[in-house]
Amino acid sequence: QVQLVESGGGMVQAGGSLRLSCAASGNIFTLNDMSWYLQSPGRQRELVAHISLRGVTKYAESVKGRFTVSRDDAKKTMYLQMNSLKPEDTGLYFCNAWIATMTLPVQYEYWGQGTHVSVSS
């Protein structure tokens, strides 16, 4: 059984910072590409940041220069450092990862339950 658990969300004023974490646990063989997605009220879930197994990153245009995604494979954890937060960054942030398990070494997509971020103006 594989689990992704997000943490670090909260309430912050515009211009503030938060650091999100996504910890993977379970019968993991390889932890491959990982991503953060944002679900805002009334909008579809959208990609915020992506980091490959090799550490190559990409970002949504709206967060470039403000957000930084990173990973610590020894801890099986991905991070999202969010600076200069804006009210439009408000929503539920989901962790996404492609993982192969010990019992079935074919990667499948997994999602966390989300952590909420609220940015006030």
Side-chain angles (χ1 to χ4, degrees):
Q1 184 108 13
V2 171
Q3 271 195 318
L4 296 176
V5 178
E6 302 97 333
S7 62
M11 298 177 64
V12 65
Q13 289 190 326
S17 299
L18 285 172
R19 189 192 195 207
L20 306 184
S21 299
C22 169
S25 63
N27 192 24
I28 296 172
F29 180 61
T30 58
L31 185 58
N32 299 314
D33 290 5
M34 303 182 76
S35 302
W36 287 100
Y37 283 78
L38 168 62
Q39 178 87 60
S40 298
R43 299 185 63 172
Q44 288 189 329
R45 193 175 297 188
E46 57 186 359
L47 178 68
V48 173
H50 172 91
I51 184 165
S52 74
L53 177 61
R54 296 181 183 276
V56 177
T57 59
K58 65 178 181 181
Y59 299 91
E61 283 296 324
S62 60
V63 306
K64 280 183 179 178
R66 300 189 298 122
F67 291 10
T68 302
V69 62
S70 60
R71 59 191 291 166
D72 183 337
D73 288 332
K75 296 181 179 180
K76 296 186 175 60
T77 300
M78 174 179 62
Y79 304 97
L80 185 68
Q81 178 65 44
M82 305 188 295
N83 298 327
S84 303
L85 282 160
K86 303 176 181 180
E88 50 264 44
D89 296 322
T90 293
L92 197 58
Y93 283 76
F94 292 93
C95 172
N96 170 279
W98 288 85
I99 298 172
T101 64
M102 298 287 189
T103 53
L104 185 64
V106 174
Q107 63 176 1
Y108 287 96
E109 186 177 29
Y110 292 86
W111 290 89
Q113 294 298 306
T115 184
H116 195 262
V117 171
S118 178
V119 185
S120 60
S121 57

